[in-house]
Amino acid sequence: MLSPDDFTAIRLSLEVATTATLLALPAGFAIAALLAFSHIPGKAIIEGIVNLPLVLPPVVVGYLLLLSLGRHGWIGSLLDRFGIQVIFTLKGAIIASSVVGFPLLVRSIRLGLESIDKNCIFAARTLGAGWWDSLFTITIPLSYRAILAGMTLMFARSLGEFGATIILAGNIPGVTQTIPLAIYQYTSMPGGDSMALSLCLVSIILSFMVLLASEAMNRRLIRN
Amino acid sequence: MLSPDDFTAIRLSLEVATTATLLALPAGFAIAALLAFSHIPGKAIIEGIVNLPLVLPPVVVGYLLLLSLGRHGWIGSLLDRFGIQVIFTLKGAIIASSVVGFPLLVRSIRLGLESIDKNCIFAARTLGAGWWDSLFTITIPLSYRAILAGMTLMFARSLGEFGATIILAGNIPGVTQTIPLAIYQYTSMPGGDSMALSLCLVSIILSFMVLLASEAMNRRLIRN
Amino acid sequence: NISVAASMTNAFKDIISEFNRQNPATKIQPNFGSSGSLAKQIAQGAPADLFVSANPKWMKYLVDGAMIAPGTDGIFVANSLVFTGTPGSTATDMASLVTLKRIAIGTPQSVPAGQYAKEAMVKAGVWQKLENENKLVMAKDVRQALIYADRGEADGAFVYRTDALLAQKAKILFEVPQALYSPVVYPMAITTGGAKKPQTTALYNFIKSDAGHTILVKYGFKPIE
Amino acid sequence: MHLSVDVKKHFPGLELHFDFTLDADRCGILGPSGSGKSTLMNMLAGLLTPESGHIVLDGDTLFDSCRSINLPPEKRRVGVVFQHSHLFPHMNVAKNLFYGRNRQSAGVARIDDAQLIGVLQLDSLLKRQVTSLSGGEQQRVALGRTILANPRLILLDEPLSGLDEALKYQIIPHLRKVFTEFTIPMLFISHSLEEMRLMTDDLLLMGHGVIDRQEKTEELARGAASERGFINILELGEAQSINRLHRRSWGENTLYLVTSVETAPGRFQINARDIMLFKQHPEAGSARNILNCRVTALRDLEWFVRVELECGGQQLIAEVVPQSVEELGITSGVEIVAVARASAFHRLF
Amino acid sequence: MHLSVDVKKHFPGLELHFDFTLDADRCGILGPSGSGKSTLMNMLAGLLTPESGHIVLDGDTLFDSCRSINLPPEKRRVGVVFQHSHLFPHMNVAKNLFYGRNRQSAGVARIDDAQLIGVLQLDSLLKRQVTSLSGGEQQRVALGRTILANPRLILLDEPLSGLDEALKYQIIPHLRKVFTEFTIPMLFISHSLEEMRLMTDDLLLMGHGVIDRQEKTEELARGAASERGFINILELGEAQSINRLHRRSWGENTLYLVTSVETAPGRFQINARDIMLFKQHPEAGSARNILNCRVTALRDLEWFVRVELECGGQQLIAEVVPQSVEELGITSGVEIVAVARASAFHRLF
Ligand SMILES: Nc1ncnc2c1ncn2[C@@H]1O[C@H](COP(=O)(O)OP(=O)(O)OP(=O)(O)O)[C@@H](O)[C@H]1O
Ligand SMILES: Nc1ncnc2c1ncn2[C@@H]1O[C@H](COP(=O)(O)OP(=O)(O)OP(=O)(O)O)[C@@H](O)[C@H]1O
Ligand SMILES: [Mg+2]
Ligand SMILES: [Mg+2]
């Protein structure tokens, strides 16, 4: 039912979604913490910028990324000097997914952080745990549920990401063609609908598995 | 800078985003509450279904909606009997946005509900508040931050929703052409970039305004 | 790397595998997308060597941007416009379109097929009436217009002959007379980057060869010398 | 209040089985930390469902696993003041206070808001956010909130443990008054026997996961004789102020007590060990009460001897060390002088 | 410990300005509910930043608004036991206990884990999740967690208010031992003067938002009109069994006490109202302890007169009603006989 190209697409999708989620996590957590705990002015502006990829159609996000990461873009020309190419590579797909899923990740983590009992963090500090120490031993474990939720959301979003990816990474079978791009291609082929459908099913199954895994992790963390 | 058609698109976008957010809210809250509080089996399945629109590329979601809501679809033919037409109308755009933004709304609210101190709800119950009463006077006010966050997310997502909308509602200027559709149209003709950019700016400004409004509401609710 | 308009996906898959059979050393990565986004990618420095557009406008955009190796751009296939819809429809020619309720076309501003359709309808004198009555549904591409016609959401759609063959239920109701619209042509060109590689030229020539034409004809295109 | 309970609940490492019937309006629960007091309260309030058994309050079945009855908390009208206050963080003090009251049917409000707010000294806090209140302030709001909800039974889980001594003794009489005047029955958890004696008449004594036994609070206090001495309870007449003391009649006898606010007749207690015995009238001592008695019985309690006395027709018990019995030659029938300080008497109610 | 504090903080409706220096290792803070005790603790621990002023502990500046110094909590080595335990819900009891200890540099651990765990009776709870602990259990874990972090100053915010009486008196001596043996200075908040007397030597008396004054705990206890009478605390020698009584030395004096299990020397309490005064030695009485004393001072507390005595080099306080003072002609310098029952003494630890 699935062609070898499809299996490649599945592998690529998983690679992109996983890498994008893991890459975005530290920055996502940092920005969520900044938004949740700090009292700096201009928080709304940071939040607005973080939310941009959500507000703009993915195609536009892809186009804006193309403008800045393309060979003539300001970041792109910089990367070019180090021999790093983003356009038409899996890196581009990962970046596209990271950017588009980022607001979801930040929102989730932020909500989690805001609901932590600050007294627990205070207690840890008075027990000699520095800021970073209490971050890793108290704050993160206490918000793991929200972090997991954010990661699941982002992973799922990455699995379905199409608009920005096709612009930034192109639709190159075997190289950057993830599941959504393959589905797109099937739907523009005679009789491709059934194959598109089976790829949809794969997507659904993958996201279910991620969901179940995150629930299981949830439960294990509660037990320990 | 903005043509009359653009203004119509802005109005339509606001209409779609607002209606979609408000329409999805009750169901979103109900499902979030179900997922957060109940211990029914098959919760993972419900969650998986709710997450589907996130996992699948929006175009696929649009196509699936078209299949079920179209004139020959099983819901569509039912609606047809009551003279309700969804395809190619603003209703279609609203439904597309609702479905695509729904998982974001549910996730946010669920996280908020899960972080409520249940003892407060217990206290309310012993003070004579029934289930519904405590829902409206304790649970919802205590999770308003998460509800607001979810609504903001969904509103933003609706502003940027393209793939499902264009399939379900079509791209009919003045009728279903929302901002992302107009942007798409501009970007797919040579030289339309500057006009696309100004519509992007409008989108960004709108989402900032929603963000600031939700922050202001947040603060007012904290004060009261 | 070659960037190919999505409507030629199948034809080019065949062309590439055939070309690879003859030149096993050459590795070709096709990038399928809409002509506009492909053109923009190339304008931003995407490493595409060959560009196949469904629309002369985007080719011109790149030529103006000096991204195309001089002299390599040219029309290589043609297509034709048909009106497709559910069998048994009342539409039999351009004039009868006014009896329909909904007609799907590609957005004229962005989709070439839509532009040709508009041209034809204007010439046939039905455009103004149809637009005033809001009977036209602008799809984001030909493929979507076809889906509407196929699913019966629209009474019919203007699509290319090559696309109409993909439909499951919808049938070609009538061919749009060629006199009503400018020729539907697909330009192809080697980019400035691709000009440095001999393989690009090899592929370019292969497509224009008889072997290439055979494949294109198989998918409904009409090769042009 | 008539309460009949037989419930089972299993926690990892602890099997709870509470089985008792209670016929008392002011009852306490006394038990070691972790014995299940809070758990029992939660089951009574409907916040925790027992695995099996029944709970019947005043003829109403609140829970019955056999008949599948499990009234939701809001239908039970069982108020709870928690160990931690659990105020509603999004409401100010006034809204917290009136949350429950506003949910009562109109006619039944029996407690005057203003009076209760005064008693709990919350007047100046009404507009405050509860999150900025100090621990004690929070607990007082929680107390008020529950009472104003007008429940037919109030469960109090160490409600006074966050209050300072002064405030505690100021609030207790008012609490007593609220609970008795408006006849709200209550179940009171505390670790302090003193609070228990002030707030309750009956006690449930809890071991780990079980009710060991049920006892009158005063009897328990008396039964603790081995440790603290037997408690005599005396019915005294109205007080007359004399020389910065209160003079009260006790049968034919006259006692001098330390002055207190109340002058009405009442029940007073005196510990048997606060009574000293002398062979003759001790001249020029600080003790105000010197009673001529006759020894009616002796009971040896190993480290103490309980000497039962009869003075002017009244019964009195003193406890002295065995050495004294020897030295004073105390035997049944002997005439002896009992001496008690004015400050040794404590009013019960 | 030398602590110098001068901090200001403004809350809506309350202006806090704490200005004091403290030279004491066992100090208490006493003040009405809402006066700012917890707020002061938070400022000392670095959890709340004062608006201006300074905090200097043993020569180290913890906070100084002028010099822009504000040490973070983890650098202050100031431990806190909160009013509510604030345990880490995602760790079991053992992990909570060792959280702070594991963050100390290796050599400095001065407290034996096992011993402390035993003292706090936590052995059987080590593997438990803290969320399933009862209120008292939680507070004991919090106590242990802070002590094991080996701070140079521990702040205790009503740490005993959730414990039952028995456990409290069992823990206090061990706490005292930990605090004195390992010389951890501490600041102790409590509403109970009794706990204060057992745990502290000095007191900061707090009014609303200010430190009113500083006083020795014993002095305050002596001066405070108490409902229950002043509690004398006596250091007694080892017990010898004589005639079913225990004989113990008190300085030069000898006291007879009711027999108890323990015979080691220790601290005992006797209520001032349990001491009777006589002009002459009362012949043939049941009281076992008859001490010849000299009156050193008198203090009139309206309903009682507090009589300060000196007997054989030791200080003792008795409380009698004013009438007795008159009748017995008690004035400063007069020789008098103090009488106490053998059962009036209670061991503290
Ligand atoms: N959800 C639970 N899971 C496991 N054990 C529990 C749970 N809830 C309570 N326990 C255990 O049940 C016992 C009784 O707890 P409970 O809170 O009723 O004690 P308590 O008598 O109120 O104690 P305290 O006087 O300290 O408040 C404790 O040992 C506690 O650890
Ligand atoms: N964040 C805050 N905003 C406003 N007022 C506050 C805030 N924190 C504390 N207060 C007020 O400051 C006063 C002192 O509070 P604090 O908690 O220090 O009292 P406390 O002496 O510890 O009382 P208790 O003995 O009841 O615990 C209280 O009146 C309290 O309401
Ligand atoms: Mg309890
Ligand atoms: Mg406090």
Side-chain angles (χ1 to χ4, degrees):
Chain A
M1 249 191 64
L2 294 173
S3 73
D5 263 8
D6 291 348
F7 280 110
T8 317
I10 294 171
R11 185 176 54 73
L12 287 176
S13 259
L14 284 177
E15 207 175 318
V16 167
T18 311
T19 320
T21 306
L22 293 180
L23 271 186
L25 187 58
F29 187 88
I31 290 185
L34 187 81
L35 292 175
F37 294 138
S38 80
H39 299 279
I40 54 166
K43 254 169 68 169
I45 291 179
I46 296 178
E47 200 180 348
I49 291 170
V50 167
N51 271 352
L52 272 193
L54 197 72
V55 184
L56 297 176
V59 178
V60 173
V61 174
Y63 186 60
L64 293 177
L65 285 176
L66 184 68
L67 282 185
S68 52
L69 291 170
R71 213 175 285 175
H72 307 306
W74 60 282
I75 304 178
S77 55
L78 206 83
L79 291 174
D80 214 27
R81 269 191 238 160
F82 298 98
I84 300 171
Q85 212 206 323
V86 170
I87 314 294
F88 288 173
T89 66
L90 207 59
K91 290 191 206 80
I94 292 169
I95 291 177
S97 279
S98 301
V99 169
V100 170
F102 201 66
L104 306 181
L105 187 69
V106 170
R107 238 331 132 147
S108 268
I109 299 182
R110 181 183 174 185
L111 273 180
L113 291 178
E114 277 170 349
S115 66
I116 291 182
D117 182 0
K118 278 198 192 150
N119 288 309
C120 277
I121 303 175
F122 286 163
R125 299 293 297 277
T126 65
L127 289 169
W131 194 89
W132 287 101
D133 190 348
S134 67
L135 179 73
F136 283 108
T137 55
I138 309 296
T139 315
I140 291 181
L142 285 183
S143 53
Y144 75 90
R145 186 191 279 276
I147 295 176
L148 265 182
M151 287 175 68
T152 319
L153 264 188
M154 178 153 182
F155 190 91
R157 181 75 184 80
S158 298
L159 279 186
E161 166 42 36
F162 170 78
T165 309
I166 198 169
I167 299 265
L168 195 63
N171 178 16
I172 307 172
V175 180
T176 63
Q177 192 178 65
T178 54
I179 298 178
L181 301 185
I183 292 177
Y184 165 77
Q185 189 159 312
Y186 278 129
T187 55
S188 36
M189 261 165 56
D193 282 4
S194 73
M195 283 144 104
L197 211 69
S198 39
L199 273 184
C200 277
L201 276 180
V202 170
S203 253
I204 293 173
I205 290 167
L206 284 181
S207 78
F208 258 88
M209 275 160 49
V210 169
L211 215 88
L212 289 178
S214 93
E215 286 292 322
M217 214 153 141
N218 228 326
R219 249 173 277 126
R220 164 179 292 177
L221 282 169
I222 284 175
R223 245 186 290 122
N224 291 355
Chain B
M1 252 194 57
L2 294 173
S3 72
D5 264 7
D6 291 349
F7 280 110
T8 316
I10 295 171
R11 185 177 56 72
L12 287 178
S13 260
L14 285 177
E15 206 173 319
V16 168
T18 311
T19 321
T21 307
L22 293 181
L23 270 186
L25 187 59
F29 187 89
I31 290 186
L34 188 80
L35 292 174
F37 294 136
S38 79
H39 300 280
I40 54 165
K43 254 170 68 169
I45 292 180
I46 296 178
E47 200 179 346
I49 292 171
V50 167
N51 271 354
L52 272 193
L54 197 71
V55 183
L56 297 176
V59 177
V60 174
V61 174
Y63 187 65
L64 293 177
L65 285 176
L66 186 68
L67 284 186
S68 53
L69 291 171
R71 214 177 288 173
H72 304 300
W74 60 281
I75 304 178
S77 55
L78 205 82
L79 289 176
D80 216 26
R81 264 192 240 158
F82 298 97
I84 300 172
Q85 211 206 325
V86 169
I87 315 295
F88 301 147
T89 65
L90 207 60
K91 288 191 207 81
I94 292 169
I95 290 176
S97 280
S98 301
V99 170
V100 170
F102 200 65
L104 307 181
L105 186 70
V106 170
R107 241 325 135 146
S108 268
I109 298 181
R110 181 182 173 186
L111 274 180
L113 290 178
E114 276 169 350
S115 66
I116 291 183
D117 181 1
K118 279 201 192 146
N119 288 310
C120 277
I121 302 174
F122 286 164
R125 299 293 297 278
T126 65
L127 288 169
W131 195 89
W132 286 102
D133 190 348
S134 68
L135 178 74
F136 283 108
T137 55
I138 310 295
T139 315
I140 291 181
L142 284 183
S143 54
Y144 76 90
R145 185 191 279 278
I147 296 176
L148 264 182
M151 287 176 70
T152 319
L153 264 187
M154 178 152 184
F155 189 90
R157 181 76 184 80
S158 297
L159 278 187
E161 165 43 34
F162 169 76
T165 308
I166 200 165
I167 302 254
L168 195 63
N171 180 13
I172 308 174
V175 180
T176 62
Q177 190 180 65
T178 54
I179 298 179
L181 272 53
I183 292 177
Y184 172 78
Q185 190 159 314
Y186 281 130
T187 56
S188 42
M189 51 194 210
D193 284 3
S194 73
M195 279 143 102
L197 213 69
S198 40
L199 271 184
C200 277
L201 276 180
V202 170
S203 252
I204 295 174
I205 290 168
L206 284 181
S207 78
F208 258 86
M209 273 162 46
V210 169
L211 215 87
L212 290 177
S214 94
E215 286 292 321
M217 214 152 140
N218 228 325
R219 248 172 279 126
R220 165 179 293 177
L221 281 170
I222 285 176
R223 244 184 293 122
N224 290 359
Chain C
N1 278 323
I2 62 172
S3 288
V4 180
S7 51
M8 305 195 84
T9 303
N10 292 332
F12 265 78
K13 277 196 164 170
D14 267 15
I15 287 175
I16 288 167
S17 60
E18 182 63 23
F19 181 75
N20 266 340
R21 212 168 49 78
Q22 297 179 11
N23 310 276
T26 313
K27 206 175 165 310
I28 298 171
Q29 290 187 337
N31 176 28
F32 301 107
S34 73
S35 306
S37 57
L38 295 176
K40 281 183 181 165
Q41 284 171 341
I42 293 169
Q44 291 304 319
D49 302 319
L50 189 74
F51 177 45
V52 177
S53 173
N55 181 347
K57 269 200 292 186
W58 285 111
M59 184 57 81
K60 182 168 182 300
Y61 169 80
L62 287 185
V63 170
D64 292 348
M67 304 299 297
I68 297 298
T72 59
D73 64 310
I75 309 297
F76 78 111
V77 286
N79 209 342
S80 59
L81 199 63
V82 299
F83 188 80
T84 177
T86 328
S89 163
T90 53
T92 51
D93 55 18
M94 294 296 286
S96 62
L97 289 181
V98 292
T99 62
L100 303 181
K101 279 214 207 90
R102 290 231 177 249
I103 298 164
I105 62 170
T107 314
Q109 290 94 325
S110 55
V111 183
Q115 204 180 347
Y116 299 129
K118 178 177 174 184
E119 208 181 327
M121 283 187 279
V122 170
K123 281 220 180 111
V126 293
W127 170 261
Q128 205 59 43
K129 189 166 161 48
L130 289 174
E131 200 191 22
N132 288 348
E133 292 174 7
N134 254 334
K135 285 188 172 173
L136 297 172
V137 178
M138 313 294 186
K140 84 175 161 49
D141 50 32
V142 185
R143 188 52 201 159
Q144 196 189 339
L146 182 66
I147 287 177
Y148 288 149
D150 205 19
R151 299 278 320 155
E153 303 302 340
D155 300 319
F158 281 101
V159 298
Y160 294 133
R161 159 178 284 288
T162 51
D163 294 306
L165 301 176
L166 307 181
Q168 291 167 333
K169 290 208 200 89
K171 293 280 174 289
I172 295 176
L173 297 177
F174 61 86
E175 300 254 357
V176 181
Q178 180 64 58
L180 292 180
Y181 62 100
S182 6
V184 181
V185 290
Y186 289 63
M188 169 172 70
I190 297 175
T191 63
T192 42
K196 293 171 197 134
K197 301 177 194 164
Q199 301 100 310
T200 318
T201 321
L203 179 63
Y204 181 79
N205 290 332
F206 176 79
I207 295 167
K208 293 191 146 199
S209 73
D210 284 348
H213 285 171
T214 317
I215 297 169
L216 288 168
V217 168
K218 188 175 123 197
Y219 286 95
F221 295 101
K222 212 170 97 207
I224 291 177
E225 292 305 320
Chain D
M1 165 190 63
H2 182 89
L3 182 64
S4 157
V5 174
D6 181 359
V7 291
K8 284 186 182 164
K9 180 94 197 168
H10 170 86
F11 283 136
L14 185 66
E15 205 64 60
L16 300 149
H17 181 191
F18 301 120
D19 183 2
F20 62 92
T21 44
L22 194 63
D23 239 317
D25 278 350
R26 299 160 11 97
C27 180
I29 300 181
L30 209 59
S33 180
S35 56
K37 303 183 292 299
S38 301
T39 305
L40 173 60
M41 291 242 164
N42 284 336
M43 293 197 289
L44 292 178
L47 301 177
L48 191 71
T49 307
E51 271 142 26
S52 65
H54 67 260
I55 300 172
V56 182
L57 173 63
D58 291 333
D60 279 3
T61 302
L62 303 184
F63 174 80
D64 193 326
S65 61
C66 300
R67 289 157 59 202
S68 294
I69 295 178
N70 188 9
L71 277 197
E74 70 273 16
K75 292 268 172 59
R76 296 193 177 196
R77 287 188 56 215
V78 172
V80 186
V81 180
F82 297 92
Q83 212 160 7
H84 300 260
S85 52
H86 299 318
L87 297 179
F88 305 133
H90 58 300
M91 300 182 184
N92 66 15
V93 170
K95 287 207 182 112
N96 264 281
L97 279 175
F98 297 138
Y99 187 89
R101 197 208 48 178
N102 292 342
R103 277 159 182 77
Q104 298 308 309
S105 18
V108 299
R110 302 178 304 170
I111 291 125
D112 183 41
D113 311 343
Q115 185 196 340
L116 188 80
I117 289 168
V119 166
L120 295 172
Q121 304 187 346
L122 295 173
D123 318 72
S124 64
L125 300 176
L126 287 178
K127 293 264 158 289
R128 287 272 293 279
Q129 279 305 302
V130 294
T131 40
S132 74
L133 295 181
S134 78
E137 289 163 347
Q138 289 185 11
Q139 201 55 22
R140 280 183 273 150
V141 176
L143 220 52
R145 180 175 72 170
T146 304
I147 293 172
L148 284 178
N150 191 29
R152 56 180 170 183
L153 165 63
I154 289 191
L155 311 175
L156 300 134
D157 195 343
E158 300 184 48
L160 303 173
S161 67
L163 304 182
D164 59 75
E165 210 94 323
L167 201 56
K168 196 190 282 185
Y169 283 106
Q170 208 172 333
I171 288 178
I172 285 179
H174 290 108
L175 272 184
R176 284 170 51 98
K177 210 168 149 188
V178 170
F179 282 118
T180 50
E181 239 172 56
F182 303 109
T183 54
I184 312 177
M186 59 145 191
L187 261 174
F188 187 85
I189 291 183
S190 170
H191 289 122
S192 147
L193 188 60
E194 199 180 345
E195 280 179 20
M196 281 298 181
R197 293 186 68 187
L198 293 171
M199 293 296 295
T200 68
D201 303 319
D202 294 79
L203 281 181
L204 291 172
L205 295 166
M206 194 177 278
H208 281 277
V210 289
I211 299 291
D212 277 341
R213 63 182 200 280
Q214 201 170 327
E215 205 169 341
K216 287 271 160 204
T217 309
E218 281 316 312
E219 256 161 39
L220 179 96
R222 245 174 274 174
S226 51
E227 274 169 44
R228 301 208 194 178
F230 177 84
I231 304 291
N232 291 286
I233 296 191
L234 286 58
E235 204 87 54
L236 303 188
E238 193 165 315
Q240 288 168 279
S241 280
I242 300 243
N243 265 354
R244 286 160 95 190
L245 287 178
H246 269 174
R247 186 171 70 188
R248 288 174 184 272
S249 61
W250 178 43
E252 297 170 13
N253 311 289
T254 300
L255 297 179
Y256 291 86
L257 276 67
V258 172
T259 308
S260 63
V261 187
E262 244 185 311
T263 57
R267 229 170 251 230
F268 289 75
Q269 63 170 41
I270 179 170
N271 192 310
R273 298 199 192 148
D274 279 338
I275 298 165
M276 284 193 209
L277 301 179
F278 289 90
K279 202 77 194 144
Q280 301 129 34
H281 191 293
E283 301 300 324
S286 63
R288 291 299 88 195
N289 299 292
I290 294 161
L291 301 161
N292 293 314
C293 313
R294 202 166 46 80
V295 176
T296 54
L298 285 175
R299 199 182 315 183
D300 198 329
L301 302 173
E302 193 165 10
W303 307 119
F304 281 97
V305 178
R306 196 165 278 182
V307 185
E308 297 186 13
L309 305 168
E310 189 264 292
C311 19
Q314 303 291 328
Q315 303 293 318
L316 192 65
I317 288 178
E319 277 181 25
V320 297
V321 293
Q323 228 187 11
S324 309
V325 176
E326 254 171 62
E327 274 191 27
L328 301 182
I330 302 179
T331 50
S332 196
V334 157
E335 297 283 330
I336 208 153
V337 179
V339 174
R341 295 167 289 115
S343 59
F345 296 88
H346 298 285
R347 190 185 186 99
L348 286 171
F349 41 84
Chain E
M1 164 190 66
H2 182 88
L3 182 64
S4 158
V5 174
D6 180 358
V7 291
K8 284 187 182 163
K9 181 91 194 168
H10 170 87
F11 282 137
L14 185 66
E15 204 65 60
L16 299 148
H17 181 192
F18 300 121
D19 182 2
F20 62 93
T21 46
L22 195 63
D23 240 317
D25 277 351
R26 300 163 6 96
C27 180
I29 300 181
L30 208 61
S33 180
S35 57
K37 302 182 294 296
S38 301
T39 304
L40 174 60
M41 292 244 163
N42 284 336
M43 294 198 287
L44 293 177
L47 301 176
L48 190 71
T49 307
E51 271 142 28
S52 65
H54 67 260
I55 300 173
V56 182
L57 173 63
D58 292 333
D60 279 3
T61 302
L62 304 184
F63 175 81
D64 191 327
S65 61
C66 299
R67 290 157 59 203
S68 294
I69 296 177
N70 188 9
L71 278 196
E74 70 272 16
K75 294 268 171 61
R76 298 193 177 195
R77 290 189 52 215
V78 172
V80 186
V81 181
F82 297 92
Q83 211 161 8
H84 301 260
S85 53
H86 298 318
L87 297 179
F88 304 134
H90 58 301
M91 300 182 183
N92 66 15
V93 170
K95 287 206 181 115
N96 265 279
L97 279 175
F98 297 138
Y99 186 89
R101 198 209 48 178
N102 291 344
R103 277 159 182 78
Q104 297 308 307
S105 16
V108 299
R110 303 177 301 170
I111 291 126
D112 183 42
D113 311 344
Q115 184 195 343
L116 189 80
I117 289 167
V119 166
L120 295 172
Q121 305 188 344
L122 296 174
D123 317 71
S124 63
L125 300 177
L126 287 178
K127 294 265 159 288
R128 286 272 293 280
Q129 280 303 305
V130 294
T131 39
S132 74
L133 297 181
S134 77
E137 289 163 346
Q138 288 187 10
Q139 200 58 18
R140 281 183 274 150
V141 176
L143 220 52
R145 179 176 74 168
T146 304
I147 292 171
L148 285 178
N150 191 27
R152 58 180 168 181
L153 166 63
I154 289 191
L155 311 175
L156 300 134
D157 196 343
E158 300 184 47
L160 303 173
S161 66
L163 305 181
D164 58 76
E165 210 96 321
L167 200 57
K168 195 189 283 186
Y169 282 110
Q170 208 171 334
I171 287 177
I172 284 179
H174 291 107
L175 269 186
R176 283 172 52 98
K177 209 168 148 189
V178 169
F179 282 119
T180 51
E181 241 172 54
F182 303 109
T183 56
I184 311 177
M186 58 144 194
L187 262 174
F188 186 85
I189 291 182
S190 169
H191 289 121
S192 146
L193 190 59
E194 201 178 345
E195 282 178 20
M196 280 297 180
R197 292 185 65 195
L198 294 173
M199 294 295 295
T200 69
D201 303 318
D202 294 78
L203 281 180
L204 291 172
L205 296 165
M206 195 176 277
H208 281 277
V210 290
I211 300 291
D212 276 342
R213 64 183 200 279
Q214 203 169 327
E215 205 168 340
K216 288 273 161 204
T217 310
E218 281 315 310
E219 259 160 37
L220 178 97
R222 236 172 279 175
S226 144
E227 307 249 319
R228 308 199 207 172
F230 176 83
I231 306 288
N232 289 286
I233 296 187
L234 284 60
E235 204 88 52
L236 303 188
E238 195 165 314
Q240 287 168 281
S241 280
I242 298 235
N243 265 355
R244 287 160 96 190
L245 285 179
H246 268 174
R247 186 170 69 186
R248 290 176 184 267
S249 65
W250 177 43
E252 299 167 13
N253 311 291
T254 302
L255 297 179
Y256 291 87
L257 277 66
V258 171
T259 307
S260 64
V261 187
E262 242 187 312
T263 58
R267 233 168 247 232
F268 289 76
Q269 64 170 39
I270 179 172
N271 193 310
R273 298 197 191 151
D274 279 339
I275 297 164
M276 285 193 207
L277 301 179
F278 289 90
K279 203 74 194 151
Q280 303 131 34
H281 190 294
E283 301 300 326
S286 63
R288 290 300 89 195
N289 298 290
I290 294 162
L291 300 161
N292 292 314
C293 314
R294 201 167 46 78
V295 176
T296 55
L298 286 176
R299 202 182 312 196
D300 197 330
L301 302 174
E302 193 163 12
W303 307 117
F304 280 97
V305 177
R306 203 163 269 184
V307 184
E308 299 188 10
L309 305 168
E310 189 263 288
C311 21
Q314 302 292 327
Q315 303 293 322
L316 190 66
I317 289 178
E319 277 182 24
V320 296
V321 291
Q323 227 186 13
S324 309
V325 176
E326 254 170 63
E327 274 191 26
L328 300 181
I330 301 177
T331 51
S332 196
V334 155
E335 297 283 330
I336 207 151
V337 179
V339 174
R341 294 166 288 115
S343 59
F345 296 89
H346 299 287
R347 191 184 184 98
L348 287 171
F349 39 82

